[in-house]
Amino acid sequence: EVEFSGVVGGHFNAQWQLMRTIVYLPSGGELKVLRRPRVKATELPLTPIDDVIQKKYVLDLSQRVRVRGTVTFYEPGISLVLEHGGQSLPMMTRQINPIPLGSVVDAIGFPDDHEYGPALEEANIFLTGQHEELKPQPVNYAAAIGALEHDNLVEMRGRVLSEVHGPLSDALVMMVDRYPVNVLLWTGERKPLPDLPPGTLVAVRGICRIMPTGFWGKPVLFRLDMRQSSDLTVLARPSWWTVTHLLYVLGGLLVVALLIMAWAVVLRSRVAIQAGRIERTMQMERERSRLLEEINSETPLEQLLE
């Protein structure tokens, strides 16, 4: 049990949402120990791993809050995201009933922090009967990594680098402003993403999930969580002149060049053979002409036969 005095401050994220309360002490002397623990931490009895959860006590003075907003993301039995006035609020829920995207709902739950922003735990969702179509906000890489759009519904454009189709989810990596961005779609009963060759220009709509690190929760990475396969739109197919196709063309040209060289060697051999035949024929004709001249001359018969 301790007593301290200091200046109260707070830690806010990029959207000026309060994340946690901080008390700044002028010096270590402001912290006074009123009562030390009866048992030192190093002297606590050992607890088997299987019994750790039995030591947890649920004692929370936080009161339930009610928030109204438009549903931008819903994974039945797991999570839901509301958006209102440019602010988003993720929440954990056990509900599995159908909740269409765009429904205006009331969420009642316990406030908690969720990685990089406030959240609700054990949320109950109540439909209000209203509906609102929220258009995704077009953003670039700098705006997304700056955490100004965390948990908001956004749209990004880029070219596909790679994709993976799994039994439970589809994932792809696209290049946005020369940076790779991860995109995830939990398939389940949803329609999977189509096969997209590398270089395809796409527009992807989804929830911008910030992944912070360090004590101050500095954003270092983000991904887009799609709601359904229709959140992906193909804007342009990749150019036929890819590296693979270029290698195919170069390989084909090399084969043609080798065939031409082989044909030139065969043709040269044939020409040499034909030239030899012509030379022998002309030599025979010259010899015949000489013999005829000898026959018509006054050369004696014995010498002519010889």
Side-chain angles (χ1 to χ4, degrees):
E1 184 178 356
V2 296
E3 180 183 80
F4 58 87
S5 59
V7 179
V8 177
H11 175 214
F12 297 82
N13 59 16
Q15 292 187 340
W16 288 104
Q17 295 171 329
L18 180 63
M19 294 294 299
R20 60 183 63 90
T21 303
I22 304 173
V23 178
Y24 298 95
L25 305 186
S27 65
E30 300 294 336
L31 180 64
K32 299 178 181 179
V33 177
L34 302 181
R35 182 175 59 85
R36 296 189 178 276
R38 292 187 296 269
V39 180
K40 294 182 179 180
T42 55
E43 297 177 355
L44 291 173
L46 294 176
T47 301
I49 294 178
D50 292 341
D51 297 338
V52 168
I53 196 63
Q54 300 180 19
K55 303 298 182 181
K56 179 182 178 181
Y57 287 81
V58 181
L59 180 59
D60 194 344
L61 301 180
S62 300
Q63 298 182 0
R64 290 175 183 250
V65 296
R66 183 167 69 101
V67 181
R68 177 169 294 184
T70 304
V71 177
T72 57
F73 182 88
Y74 180 47
E75 190 69 26
I78 301 177
S79 65
L80 183 143
V81 179
L82 297 183
E83 184 172 339
H84 178 72
Q87 302 287 327
S88 295
L89 182 68
M91 56 195 68
M92 305 298 110
T93 180
R94 301 179 187 271
Q95 292 186 213
I96 59 174
N97 56 302
I99 301 178
L101 296 176
S103 300
V104 179
V105 301
D106 285 348
I108 301 176
F110 294 97
D112 197 0
D113 61 328
H114 177 67
E115 293 184 343
Y116 194 73
L120 289 184
E121 295 287 345
E122 299 295 338
N124 294 324
I125 313 301
F126 299 91
L127 297 173
T128 64
Q130 303 178 21
H131 189 85
E132 181 183 8
E133 290 292 339
L134 291 181
K135 294 183 179 180
Q137 183 69 23
V139 298
N140 54 19
Y141 184 87
I145 197 63
L148 295 176
E149 301 292 340
H150 77 90
D151 288 326
N152 284 355
L153 181 61
V154 300
E155 177 179 314
M156 302 190 75
R157 296 190 177 191
R159 294 194 177 274
V160 175
L161 293 179
S162 62
E163 61 176 350
V164 177
H165 297 277
L168 298 178
S169 64
D170 287 348
L172 63 87
V173 180
M174 65 178 184
M175 184 69 73
V176 179
D177 299 335
R178 298 180 297 176
Y179 294 96
V181 174
N182 295 314
V183 181
L184 181 66
L185 171 66
W186 295 105
T187 52
E189 299 180 356
R190 299 184 180 96
K191 183 179 178 182
L193 294 177
D195 292 331
L196 300 172
T200 304
L201 181 62
V202 296
V204 178
R205 295 169 292 278
I207 303 299
C208 183
R209 302 286 194 183
I210 295 295
M211 284 165 271
T213 186
F215 176 76
W216 296 103
K218 180 180 179 181
V220 294
L221 195 64
F222 72 91
R223 76 168 188 265
L224 293 183
D225 283 354
M226 299 176 57
R227 294 93 49 85
Q228 50 200 5
S229 59
S230 59
D231 283 336
L232 185 144
T233 303
V234 176
L235 302 178
R237 293 292 178 179
S239 174
W240 190 88
W241 284 105
T242 61
V243 176
T244 302
H245 290 164
L246 181 60
L247 293 177
Y248 287 158
V249 172
L250 293 178
L253 293 176
L254 181 60
V255 171
V256 171
L258 292 176
L259 292 176
I260 293 176
M261 292 177 61
W263 173 248
V265 172
V266 173
L267 183 61
R268 183 176 180 180
S269 176
R270 290 183 178 180
V271 170
I273 294 174
Q274 189 67 21
R277 291 177 179 176
I278 295 175
E279 180 64 24
R280 289 193 296 272
T281 301
M282 294 180 62
Q283 185 177 359
M284 291 175 63
E285 290 298 330
R286 288 194 296 269
E287 190 65 19
R288 288 175 182 175
S289 297
R290 188 183 63 80
L291 291 176
L292 289 176
E293 290 178 358
E294 293 289 341
I295 291 174
N296 293 330
S297 64
E298 296 178 353
T299 305
L301 182 59
E302 295 80 358
Q303 184 178 357
L304 182 61
L305 292 177
E306 183 180 358

